[in-house]
């Protein structure tokens, strides 16, 4: 779920990281990969993609006067890899039957199995959306806080040059 929303950025950043990884045959031999090697290749590629994105966002932070010591862009983007690993682990545990019902594919009466699969698909989408929202709510403040703090210290003391609430509650 998390990867789906970030696909455009990944499409731009992944090819250079895969090319970089192809120069490391001693570390990651790509011919006849075992399942462990495929997993290592996958997460290394994901890590480097998010790392490059973190570097780009650090440059943007520096451009907006957030100092090198204040920026937390790299921490935020590298933590997203942990979120993807956690998400993949839960999905794999579910697929293997360690979590949830083992008998997802049982034969039932006419159309019963199809309805069950449609229902489970919807439940899993809602769970995936909830996971993505919860993860981003938990991790985003790590990255956003320095910029918010700087905006609050600005000339008008807010993110925007106006406030709807301030004018609504103004006395007089």
């Amino acid at each position: 779920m998390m990867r789906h929303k970030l696909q455009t950025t990944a499409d731009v950043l992944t090819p250079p990281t895969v090319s970089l990884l192809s120069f490391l045959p001693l570390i990651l031999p790509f011919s006849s990969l075992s399942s462990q090697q495929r997993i290592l290749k996958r997460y290394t590629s994901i890590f480097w993609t998010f790392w490059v994105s973190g570097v780009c966002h650090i440059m943007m932070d520096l451009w907006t006067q957030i100092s090198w010591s204040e920026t937390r862009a790299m921490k935020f983007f590298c933590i997203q890899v942990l979120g993807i690993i956690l998400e993949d682990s839960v999905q794999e545990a579910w697929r293997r039957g360690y979590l949830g019902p083992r008998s997802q594919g049982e034969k039932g009466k006419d159309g019963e199995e199809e309805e069950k699969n449609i229902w489970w698909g919807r439940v899993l989408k809602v769970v995936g959306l909830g996971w993505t929202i919860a993860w981003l709510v938990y991790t985003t403040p790590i990255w956003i806080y320095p910029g918010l703090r700087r905006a609050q210290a600005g000339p008008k003391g807010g993110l925007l040059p106006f406030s709807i609430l301030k004018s609504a509650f103004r006395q007089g």
Side-chain angles (χ1 to χ4, degrees):
M1 190 79 171
M2 190 183 295
R3 284 184 301 275
H4 175 70
K5 301 296 181 194
L6 303 171
Q7 196 61 46
T8 304
T9 305
D11 288 344
V12 172
L13 296 178
T14 300
T17 60
V18 170
S19 296
L20 175 67
L21 293 174
S22 66
F23 287 113
L24 305 172
L26 298 175
I27 298 172
L28 298 171
F30 292 133
S31 58
S32 65
L33 294 173
S34 69
S35 63
Q36 289 87 5
Q37 288 171 324
R38 278 194 303 273
I39 291 170
L40 180 62
K41 177 185 173 188
R42 171 181 164 70
Y43 292 123
T44 304
S45 176
I46 290 170
F47 172 79
W48 282 112
T49 299
F50 277 96
W51 188 86
V52 169
S53 186
V55 168
C56 292
H57 283 85
I58 285 174
M59 295 301 135
M60 286 187 280
D61 284 351
L62 294 173
W63 184 70
T64 59
Q65 307 300 315
I66 295 173
S67 72
W68 184 261
S69 62
E70 287 179 313
T71 184
R72 292 186 178 83
M74 189 60 74
K75 184 176 184 179
F76 170 77
F77 284 97
C78 289
I79 284 175
Q80 300 315 304
V81 178
L82 176 62
I84 291 172
I85 292 170
L86 289 171
E87 182 179 341
D88 285 352
S89 299
V90 169
Q91 287 176 352
E92 184 65 18
W94 181 273
R95 189 184 66 75
R96 291 184 182 198
Y98 299 131
L99 302 172
R102 282 189 185 270
S103 58
Q104 240 178 308
E106 284 181 359
K107 298 290 180 194
K109 295 180 182 172
D110 300 332
E112 205 175 284
E113 180 184 351
E114 188 175 325
E115 283 181 35
K116 187 177 181 182
N117 288 337
I118 290 170
W119 184 81
W120 271 112
R122 289 180 182 158
V123 167
L124 293 176
K125 280 189 178 190
V126 169
V127 168
L129 179 62
W131 155 253
T132 302
I133 290 169
W135 181 258
L136 289 174
V137 164
Y138 178 70
T139 60
T140 301
I142 294 168
W143 173 40
I144 297 297
Y145 180 72
L148 291 176
R149 194 176 71 223
R150 179 164 300 282
Q152 297 246 323
K156 297 221 179 205
L159 294 176
L160 299 173
F162 60 89
S163 172
I164 296 169
L165 294 177
K166 198 181 282 185
S167 61
F169 290 111
R170 186 176 293 155
Q171 301 289 347

